[in-house]
Amino acid sequence: KAGVTQTPRYLIKTRGQQVTLSCSPISGHRSVSWYQQTPGQGLQFLFEYFSETQRNKGNFPGRFSGRQFSNSRSEMNVSTLELGDSALYLCASSRDRSMGEQYFGPGTRLTVT
Amino acid sequence: AQTVTQSQPEMSVQEAETVTLSCTYDTSESNYYLFWYKQPPSRQMILVIRQEAYKQQNATENRFSVNFQKAAKSFSLKISDSQLGDTAMYFCAFIDTGGFKTIFGAGTRLFVKA
């Protein structure tokens, strides 16, 4: 069974631009979560989707948004990029409705210049 | 608010020895899961071990075991017979069954020395 895939793996953007990151969960997994990982802030929860519904959202500004499609694939979008958005963005999928254990993708390394 | 605290930013251990990583958490929930995840350098995060809060028995996965003290809200990870491949960042994580949100600790960087 294929693991969680994320595209692109690396991305360089300039301030003010917007970016869309994609995540394909493990087949059969309906829960997808997104995290931002930085050296200073560690792993911070962005949002979680289950069956196309956002069930929870972390403490991030409205520039961060996401969605989930009927095939469970998920995208997150960051508009008006700031230097502080430079981070590793991790996606994780889970089979159980209660989330339980998660399986992580390799991440997308976003650099904002 | 739920929090997870890992008080050891960095640890080192000799190959073949045993090391214990500490984690404490704070919650008012009674139903939740606890996890230890491992993130090797430049590699994907993987699950090491999980513990359901309602289970009194400590979880064990091969060389990895936990000491779960629910009343003290403590969840430590013991790695026995440490191997070079255990070098990684270890994250303690908490999720309550109704919150759909995982809270991670700051992580402990473990170095296994030959």
Side-chain angles (χ1 to χ4, degrees):
Chain A
K1 194 181 264 192
V4 178
T5 58
Q6 291 187 245
T7 55
R9 292 292 310 281
Y10 302 91
L11 207 49
I12 300 175
K13 291 284 189 178
T14 55
R15 276 179 297 176
Q17 287 186 314
Q18 77 163 21
V19 65
T20 298
L21 311 182
S22 180
C23 171
S24 292
I26 291 172
S27 177
H29 286 195
R30 294 164 66 189
S31 169
V32 173
S33 298
W34 288 90
Y35 300 89
Q36 182 194 65
Q37 186 175 22
T38 60
Q41 299 296 318
L43 271 160
Q44 294 197 294
F45 171 78
L46 279 156
F47 22 66
E48 190 265 353
Y49 289 89
F50 183 90
S51 292
E52 302 178 68
T53 299
Q54 185 184 90
R55 296 193 295 187
N56 207 337
K57 189 179 192 308
N59 190 24
F60 278 82
R63 300 185 296 106
F64 291 81
S65 63
R67 59 179 176 168
Q68 187 181 32
F69 301 95
S70 58
N71 62 358
S72 294
R73 189 177 70 84
S74 177
E75 288 181 347
M76 67 163 280
N77 184 276
V78 188
S79 62
T80 320
L81 284 165
E82 300 176 0
L83 294 179
D85 297 333
S86 294
L88 180 66
Y89 290 88
L90 294 171
C91 164
S93 75
S94 177
R95 182 182 58 240
D96 299 333
R97 181 165 176 81
S98 61
M99 274 179 67
E101 60 200 67
Q102 296 173 81
Y103 297 83
F104 283 82
T108 294
R109 173 75 62 186
L110 172 65
T111 302
V112 182
T113 62
Chain B
Q2 294 150 344
T3 58
V4 176
T5 303
Q6 292 179 250
S7 58
Q8 305 149 314
E10 236 178 61
M11 296 187 73
S12 63
V13 63
Q14 286 293 137
E15 200 176 6
E17 293 188 345
T18 295
V19 63
T20 298
L21 280 57
S22 301
C23 173
T24 58
Y25 60 95
D26 190 24
T27 183
S28 57
E29 300 292 331
S30 55
N31 295 319
Y32 52 88
Y33 299 95
L34 293 161
F35 306 89
W36 279 98
Y37 285 92
K38 167 185 176 181
Q39 189 177 38
S42 302
R43 291 178 61 190
Q44 256 163 271
M45 183 110 69
I46 58 172
L47 177 69
V48 174
I49 199 165
R50 66 177 273 168
Q51 174 81 44
E52 290 89 342
Y54 65 86
K55 289 187 177 178
Q56 292 187 339
Q57 186 171 6
N58 289 323
T60 299
E61 286 288 339
N62 301 314
R63 298 183 295 106
F64 299 88
S65 61
V66 298
N67 183 2
F68 174 47
Q69 302 288 328
K70 190 172 183 179
K73 295 179 181 172
S74 170
F75 183 61
S76 60
L77 174 70
K78 185 171 84 171
I79 305 174
S80 304
D81 185 26
S82 297
Q83 300 176 359
L84 296 178
D86 295 334
T87 291
M89 193 76 159
Y90 286 82
F91 292 96
C92 177
F94 164 98
I95 179 173
D96 71 73
T97 54
F100 313 121
K101 173 180 176 178
T102 304
I103 310 295
F104 285 85
T108 295
R109 190 174 299 279
L110 176 68
F111 295 96
V112 180
K113 299 180 287 188

